[in-house]
């Protein structure tokens, strides 16, 4: 009776695998290759651990940066911040703006009331800017054409203006303005001379009406600060004016 090996001629798969395994185990070179491969794996193992460590450190720095940024944002929104609301729902900056607007409106109401009570409501225009008020009057209400003499009517108008100025303590600049038409007759050779002489005449009149001279100074601007175009008669008429620039503010207002 034949064995399974004898039936297949002695080359069964099982016997073949055993033969190969025996050959490898008996081959000295095969052991060398296996040893070298094991050494390579051992030498490269430290790089895996190093990359893992770097990954953990990177993640740690990202987390720390995110936490620091979040704390900075919370600090900016803290109640001690200058931009935080003074009262619920109203920022400090908005409160200051509302206060300034209220003060400005109060000053405008005061100016309108004072001008109206001194018969100047329809005679003088005014423009307000931070720290001052600019009262404007047409030059024809005070002077004749190219003249600097003040009539009785002009003095009555200036008396009312003096009453207005008595309501404030600030300094007053009296500014003369002309159009751009050159002077062809009269005692003045240029609009510079004319505007300066008119401003000086008004200052002297105000001093005679009780305004302290240390509060006043006269300036002539000729045609350098027009309100309208000098190309038309209407524009030139608007540019011929006298202005009273008054220091304006709560510290300059007399209590009435």
């Amino acid at each position: 009776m034949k064995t399974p090996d004898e039936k297949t001629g002695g080359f069964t798969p099982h016997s073949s695998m055993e033969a190969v395994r025996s050959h490898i185990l008996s081959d000295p070179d095969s052991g060398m290759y296996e040893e070298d491969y094991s050494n390579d794996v051992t030498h490269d193992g430290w790089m895996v651990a190093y990359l893992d460590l770097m990954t953990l450190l990177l993640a740690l720095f990202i987390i720390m940066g995110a936490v620091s940024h979040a704390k900075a944002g919370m600090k900016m929104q803290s109640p001690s911040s200058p931009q935080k609301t003074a009262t619920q729902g109203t920022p400090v900056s908005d409160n200051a703006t509302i206060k300034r607007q209220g003060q400005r409106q109060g000053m405008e109401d005061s100016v309108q009331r004072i001008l109206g009570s001194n018969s100047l409501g329809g005679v003088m225009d005014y423009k307000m800017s931070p720290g001052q008020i600019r009262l404007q009057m047409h030059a024809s209400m005070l002077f004749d054409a190219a003249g600097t003499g003040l009539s009785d009517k002009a003095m009555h108008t200036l008396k009312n203006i003096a009453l207005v100025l008595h309501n404030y303590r600030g300094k007053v600049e009296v500014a003369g303005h002309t159009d751009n038409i050159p002077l062809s007759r009269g005692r003045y050779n240029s609009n510079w001379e004319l505007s300066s002489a008119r401003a000086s005449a008004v200052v002297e009149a105000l001093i005679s009406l009780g305004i302290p001279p240390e509060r006043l100074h006269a300036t002539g601007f000729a045609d350098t600060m027009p309100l309208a175009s000098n190309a038309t008669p209407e524009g030139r008429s608007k540019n011929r004016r006298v202005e009273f620039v008054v220091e304006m503010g709560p510290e300059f207002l007399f209590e009435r």
Side-chain angles (χ1 to χ4, degrees), residues 82-240:
Q83 298 298 325
K84 192 63 178 175
T85 58
T87 58
Q88 185 175 2
T90 306
V92 173
S93 58
D94 290 348
N95 283 341
T97 300
I98 293 172
K99 184 177 180 179
R100 287 194 299 269
Q101 290 175 347
Q103 290 176 343
R104 180 182 177 88
Q105 186 60 48
M107 298 295 284
E108 289 187 1
D109 293 343
S110 174
V111 170
Q112 291 177 354
R113 184 176 64 256
I114 292 171
L115 292 178
S117 63
N118 291 283
S119 303
L120 295 171
V123 176
M124 300 193 76
D125 294 328
Y126 71 91
K127 293 182 179 180
M128 297 191 66
S129 59
Q132 66 176 215
I133 178 173
R134 188 178 295 267
L135 305 172
Q136 299 175 353
M137 176 173 289
H138 196 279
S140 62
M141 299 192 66
L142 299 174
F143 306 101
D144 295 331
T148 59
L150 295 168
S151 64
D152 292 340
K153 181 180 179 180
M155 288 300 297
H156 178 73
T157 301
L158 289 175
K159 182 178 180 180
N160 291 333
I161 293 175
L163 293 175
V164 172
L165 299 179
H166 275 303
N167 287 272
Y168 305 99
R169 314 181 200 204
K171 294 185 180 298
V172 181
E173 176 189 19
V174 179
H177 300 269
T178 68
D179 57 27
N180 66 342
I181 302 300
L183 298 179
S184 58
R185 57 187 176 84
R187 59 181 293 191
Y188 301 105
N189 297 320
S190 69
N191 284 318
W192 286 105
E193 292 183 12
L194 178 61
S195 61
S196 299
R198 284 181 170 179
S200 297
V202 171
V203 165
E204 292 176 359
L206 291 175
I207 293 174
S208 69
L209 293 170
I211 302 299
E214 61 270 15
R215 289 184 57 195
L216 301 167
H217 67 277
T219 308
F221 289 96
D223 61 337
T224 61
M225 298 179 64
L227 294 178
S229 172
N230 280 305
T232 64
E234 293 78 11
R236 291 192 294 271
S237 176
K238 191 173 184 179
N239 292 333
R240 296 190 294 268

Side-chain angles (χ1 to χ4, degrees), residues 240-254:
R240 296 190 294 268
R241 66 195 188 278
V242 176
E243 293 183 339
F244 302 83
V245 184
V246 187
E247 289 181 348
M248 188 92 168
E251 67 274 21
F252 297 126
L253 181 64
F254 283 102

